Amino acid sequence: DAGVIQSPRHEVTEMGQEVTLRCKPISGHNSLFWYRQTMMRGLELLIYFNNNVPIDDSGMPEDRFSAKMPNASFSTLKIQPSEPRDSAVYFCASSPTGREQYFGPGTRLTVT
Amino acid sequence: KQEVTQIPAALSVPEGENLVLNCSFTDSAIYNLQWFRQDPGKGLTSLLLIQSSQREQTSGRLNASLDKSSGRSTLYIAASQPGDSATYLCAVDNNDMRFGAGTRLTVKP
């Protein structure tokens, strides 16, 4: 298995632009998580899905952030419009049980 | 709200030493606790998962213990190697994963 796949690995964009991050979970895993990691706040859970349904989005910082999971093999995290303070590493993780999690390599986002 | 604390924030040891990393949490009503390793610029790799009903888990040179009642977990690394150098994070799950800030470990040859 290739593990959790995230794209792009690096994204540099200008303030105000729309950013879309993509994640392909491990096949057969029914839970998917989006995290953000910054030096100041560490690793924070943004949202998680179970069987493609958003269960808890209380960690999503603002309405500028949205996440979708149209099917079991794909999820997106979108930021529109992006701001410099959104610069961070965004991780996607999947789980077969909702508990033990397997992380992707992350997307490093820089908003200038 | 669950708070997770890891001590020390950084640790530097000579190769071959046994070492212990600490993780404490404020809410003992957890489903499990997971230890991760993160290499610079990389994602997180799961090392050990301890269910709430378990006391410890072992994998190779790693041993993780869990004391739910006192809100503590330790990660023991035996015979450390330079390749163990990384940041180690613990995460507790009580319906919401909470991560500690991590311990940055450097093992010097």
Side-chain angles (χ1 to χ4, degrees):
Chain A
D1 196 319
V4 176
I5 298 172
Q6 290 187 247
S7 64
R9 293 295 311 278
H10 302 272
E11 176 81 30
V12 181
T13 191
E14 291 184 348
M15 183 173 66
Q17 296 297 308
E18 177 180 296
V19 174
T20 300
L21 311 181
R22 297 173 176 80
C23 175
K24 177 177 168 47
I26 295 173
S27 177
H29 286 194
N30 60 7
S31 295
L32 183 141
F33 306 78
W34 281 101
Y35 292 88
R36 177 172 67 177
Q37 186 176 40
T38 61
M39 289 293 291
M40 292 295 293
R41 299 173 69 90
L43 202 62
E44 302 173 285
L45 176 66
L46 299 177
I47 185 172
Y48 82 89
F49 295 85
N50 191 47
N51 293 322
N52 313 338
V53 176
I55 302 300
D56 182 0
D57 65 355
S58 60
M60 296 285 262
E62 302 171 33
D63 291 345
R64 297 184 297 107
F65 286 70
S66 63
K68 293 182 180 180
M69 192 164 185
N71 57 61
S73 59
F74 183 66
S75 176
T76 59
L77 178 67
K78 186 175 293 188
I79 308 172
Q80 166 63 19
S82 58
E83 297 182 3
R85 60 194 170 110
D86 301 331
S87 298
V89 181
Y90 291 81
F91 288 102
C92 173
S94 71
S95 173
T97 62
R99 300 297 176 200
E100 185 173 10
Q101 297 184 25
Y102 298 81
F103 279 71
T107 295
R108 184 175 296 275
L109 173 65
T110 303
V111 183
T112 61
Chain B
K1 179 183 171 181
Q2 179 76 274
E3 293 186 7
V4 182
T5 305
Q6 289 188 246
I7 295 173
L11 182 63
S12 181
V13 301
E15 181 177 7
E17 243 186 50
N18 302 326
L19 58 100
V20 174
L21 308 181
N22 297 290
C23 173
S24 61
F25 47 95
T26 54
D27 184 352
S28 62
I30 65 172
Y31 292 104
N32 61 57
L33 182 145
Q34 200 165 353
W35 281 93
F36 294 88
R37 168 188 173 136
Q38 186 174 29
D39 293 280
K42 301 284 180 66
L44 283 75
T45 301
S46 178
L47 298 174
L48 291 164
L49 172 72
I50 313 176
Q51 302 290 351
S52 63
S53 58
Q54 298 174 322
R55 299 282 295 185
E56 66 177 348
Q57 282 285 335
T58 298
S59 176
R61 294 182 293 108
L62 305 180
N63 176 274
S65 68
L66 174 64
D67 184 344
K68 261 191 3 174
S69 60
S70 66
R72 292 181 183 176
S73 176
T74 61
L75 179 66
Y76 175 82
I77 302 177
S80 58
Q81 303 170 358
D84 294 332
S85 298
T87 297
Y88 291 81
L89 296 108
C90 73
V92 296
D93 180 3
N94 53 347
N95 238 18
D96 186 7
M97 285 281 277
R98 295 284 176 182
F99 287 78
T103 294
R104 186 187 302 251
L105 173 66
T106 303
V107 181
K108 295 176 287 188

